[in-house]
């Protein structure tokens, strides 16, 4: 589905724009401490919503990174991520998600928690509802995001469904 590639060092994640044209290639290196995700070329390094076609649905779960997003899609969720990480949300994305029911599942580290809260506040005027999913993780290197929750810790889709059901609106956080 995602048309992933490999360049002998990194997984290549092609990114489509709203018109269906290819607008970027994100290069992911598993286990990297620095520069885990980079853009194919500097002139392509502009944040995008990925996968864009998922923004057309009424309910969306926003993830902090492309790999978490792809795993969530594999599990059947309508997942979307802004390419570039927690702090790359562009104002134009708010309009693209207008009228949607939004759930946010960002990393549990300090940056992820702050970005989730800030994003919820940005989206509240546009979305029908905005809720934040709280992953019950320690915030360590092996317990900080959705992929860790599912892959490293062995939780299931049913476990995550319970967290989705328990997600709270920002007025309750």
């Amino acid at each position: 589905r995602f048309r992933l590639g490999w360049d002998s060092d990194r997984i290549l994640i092609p990114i489509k724009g709203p018109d269906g044209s290819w607008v970027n290639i994100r290069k992911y290196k598993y286990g990297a401490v620095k520069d885990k995700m980079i853009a194919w070329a500097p002139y392509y390094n502009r944040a995008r919503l990925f996968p864009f076609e998922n923004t057309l649905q009424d309910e969306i779960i926003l993830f902090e990174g492309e790999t978490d997003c792809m795993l969530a899609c594999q599990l059947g969720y309508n997942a979307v991520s802004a390419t570039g990480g927690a702090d790359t949300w562009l104002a134009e994305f708010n309009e693209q998600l207008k009228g949607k029911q939004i759930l946010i599942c960002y990393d549990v580290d300090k940056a992820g928690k702050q970005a989730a809260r800030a994003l919820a506040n940005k989206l509240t005027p546009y979305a029908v509802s905005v809720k934040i999913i709280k992953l019950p993780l320690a915030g360590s290197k092996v317990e900080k995001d959705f992929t860790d929750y599912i892959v490293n810790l062995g939780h299931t889709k049913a476990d995550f469904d319970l967290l989705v059901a328990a997600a709270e609106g920002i007025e309750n956080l």
Side-chain angles (χ1 to χ4, degrees), residues 124-143:
T124 296
Y126 297 89
V128 171
S129 67
V130 179
K131 295 180 179 181
I132 296 177
I133 298 168
K134 293 182 181 180
L135 291 172
L137 302 175
S140 67
K141 287 185 180 184
V142 294
E143 284 191 36

Side-chain angles (χ1 to χ4, degrees), residues 48-127:
R48 311 282 182 163
L49 292 178
F50 168 80
F52 185 81
E53 60 272 15
N54 286 8
T55 66
L56 304 176
Q57 301 300 316
D58 291 332
E59 185 175 298
I60 297 168
I61 302 178
L62 295 173
F63 288 88
E64 187 173 330
E66 295 91 335
T67 55
D68 286 343
C69 179
M70 288 187 291
L71 176 58
C73 288
Q74 286 180 305
L75 293 173
Y77 297 104
N78 189 54
V80 173
S81 176
T83 61
D87 297 323
T88 59
W89 193 263
L90 301 178
E92 68 192 58
F93 298 161
N94 299 337
E95 278 295 327
Q96 292 172 345
L97 300 181
K98 190 173 186 173
K100 309 289 183 184
Q101 296 175 35
I102 305 292
L103 292 144
I104 300 170
C105 185
Y106 272 21
D107 294 2
V108 300
D109 58 11
K110 184 177 178 181
K113 287 179 180 179
Q114 289 175 343
R117 180 101 181 171
L119 179 55
N121 287 323
K122 289 175 188 175
L123 287 172
T124 296
Y126 297 89

